[in-house]
Protein backbone atom coordinates (compact mmCIF):
# COMPACT_ATOMS: atom_id res chain seq x y z
CA UNK A 1 0.00 0.00 0.00
CA UNK A 2 1.32 3.43 -0.88
CA UNK A 3 1.35 6.82 0.82
CA UNK A 4 0.16 9.73 -1.32
CA UNK A 5 0.76 13.45 -0.92
CA UNK A 6 -1.11 16.09 -2.92
CA UNK A 7 0.20 19.63 -2.57
CA UNK A 8 -1.70 22.62 -3.91
CA UNK A 9 0.32 25.76 -4.48
CA UNK A 10 -0.68 29.20 -5.74
CA UNK A 11 2.21 31.39 -6.74
CA UNK A 12 2.48 35.08 -6.13
CA UNK A 13 1.62 37.16 -9.19
CA UNK A 14 4.15 36.54 -11.97
CA UNK A 15 6.20 33.95 -10.06
CA UNK A 16 4.92 30.79 -11.80
CA UNK A 17 7.70 30.98 -14.41
CA UNK A 18 10.26 30.94 -11.60
CA UNK A 19 8.55 28.26 -9.49
CA UNK A 20 7.88 25.71 -12.24
CA UNK A 21 11.53 25.10 -13.22
CA UNK A 22 12.41 24.78 -9.53
CA UNK A 23 9.68 22.15 -9.13
CA UNK A 24 10.89 20.34 -12.24
CA UNK A 25 14.34 20.09 -10.61
CA UNK A 26 12.70 18.96 -7.38
CA UNK A 27 10.73 16.27 -9.20
CA UNK A 28 13.85 14.92 -10.90
CA UNK A 29 15.76 14.72 -7.61
CA UNK A 30 12.80 13.22 -5.75
CA UNK A 31 12.28 10.47 -8.31
CA UNK A 32 15.77 9.20 -7.47
CA UNK A 33 14.95 8.81 -3.77
CA UNK A 34 14.44 5.33 -2.32
CA UNK A 35 10.74 4.76 -1.76
CA UNK A 36 9.56 7.40 -4.23
CA UNK A 37 7.10 5.88 -6.67
CA UNK A 38 5.91 9.05 -8.44
CA UNK A 39 6.40 12.81 -8.39
CA UNK A 40 4.37 14.82 -10.88
CA UNK A 41 4.03 18.58 -11.31
CA UNK A 42 0.77 19.93 -12.80
CA UNK A 43 -0.13 23.50 -13.74
CA UNK A 44 -3.67 24.89 -13.87
CA UNK A 45 -5.08 25.33 -17.36
CA UNK A 46 -7.42 28.16 -16.38
CA UNK A 47 -5.18 29.61 -13.68
CA UNK A 48 -1.46 29.27 -14.50
CA UNK A 49 -0.59 30.35 -10.95
CA UNK A 50 -2.23 27.17 -9.62
CA UNK A 51 0.19 24.25 -9.26
CA UNK A 52 -0.57 20.75 -8.01
CA UNK A 53 2.05 18.22 -6.99
CA UNK A 54 1.18 14.53 -6.90
CA UNK A 55 3.68 12.47 -4.91
CA UNK A 56 3.54 8.77 -4.16
CA UNK A 57 5.78 6.89 -1.74
CA UNK A 58 6.11 3.29 -0.65
CA UNK A 59 5.49 4.36 2.97
CA UNK A 60 4.92 7.35 5.21
CA UNK A 61 8.50 6.93 6.45
CA UNK A 62 9.73 7.41 2.86
CA UNK A 63 7.83 10.70 2.65
CA UNK A 64 9.26 11.80 5.99
CA UNK A 65 12.75 11.01 4.69
CA UNK A 66 11.96 12.98 1.53
CA UNK A 67 11.15 16.08 3.61
CA UNK A 68 14.55 15.81 5.31
CA UNK A 69 16.58 15.71 2.06
CA UNK A 70 18.88 18.61 1.23
CA UNK A 71 17.07 19.19 -2.08
CA UNK A 72 13.67 19.49 -0.33
CA UNK A 73 15.08 21.88 2.26
CA UNK A 74 16.88 24.01 -0.34
CA UNK A 75 14.40 23.99 -3.25
CA UNK A 76 10.97 23.72 -1.66
CA UNK A 77 11.46 25.44 1.68
CA UNK A 78 14.24 27.82 0.67
CA UNK A 79 13.27 28.84 -2.87
CA UNK A 80 9.68 27.86 -3.70
CA UNK A 81 7.74 28.62 -0.51
CA UNK A 82 8.79 32.32 -0.41
CA UNK A 83 7.29 32.71 -3.93
CA UNK A 84 3.90 31.27 -2.96
CA UNK A 85 0.68 33.02 -2.05
CA UNK A 86 -0.70 29.79 -0.55
CA UNK A 87 0.35 26.20 0.09
CA UNK A 88 -1.87 23.29 1.18
CA UNK A 89 -0.52 19.78 1.65
CA UNK A 90 -2.84 16.78 1.90
CA UNK A 91 -1.30 13.52 3.15
CA UNK A 92 -3.26 10.38 2.29
CA UNK A 93 -2.97 6.86 3.63
CA UNK A 94 -4.84 4.01 1.96
CA UNK A 95 -8.07 2.86 3.48
CA UNK A 96 -8.18 -0.74 4.59
CA UNK A 97 -9.84 -2.97 2.07
CA UNK A 98 -13.26 -4.24 3.04
CA UNK A 99 -14.94 -7.32 1.68
CA UNK A 100 -18.65 -7.24 1.04
Amino acid sequence: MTYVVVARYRTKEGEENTVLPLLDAMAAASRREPGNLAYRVHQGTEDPRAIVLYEEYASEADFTAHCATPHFQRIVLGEVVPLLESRDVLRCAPRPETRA
Side-chain angles (χ1 to χ4, degrees):
M1 298 230 224
T2 62
Y3 188 78
V4 171
V5 177
V6 178
R8 294 176 42 187
Y9 294 172
R10 180 166 171 81
T11 67
K12 293 177 182 175
E13 187 72 41
E15 295 293 354
E16 62 273 14
N17 292 328
T18 302
V19 168
L20 288 165
L22 290 169
L23 292 175
D24 289 341
M26 184 66 199
S30 297
R31 288 183 194 120
R32 292 189 294 270
E33 294 172 22
N36 180 274
L37 304 175
Y39 195 112
R40 296 184 192 101
V41 179
H42 302 268
Q43 184 177 21
T45 57
E46 295 177 13
D47 179 4
R49 292 173 53 201
I51 298 169
V52 174
L53 303 179
Y54 173 86
E55 304 173 46
E56 191 171 357
Y57 298 87
S59 69
E60 183 176 4
D62 290 320
F63 174 69
T64 300
H66 160 75
C67 293
T69 62
H71 53 270
F72 180 88
Q73 298 292 316
R74 180 180 54 80
I75 296 172
V76 174
L77 299 182
E79 297 182 58
V80 171
V81 169
L83 302 177
L84 300 180
E85 188 176 281
S86 64
R87 176 179 180 235
D88 299 305
V89 179
L90 176 64
R91 299 171 184 212
C92 304
R95 289 181 38 84
E97 290 185 27
T98 57
R99 303 209 184 265

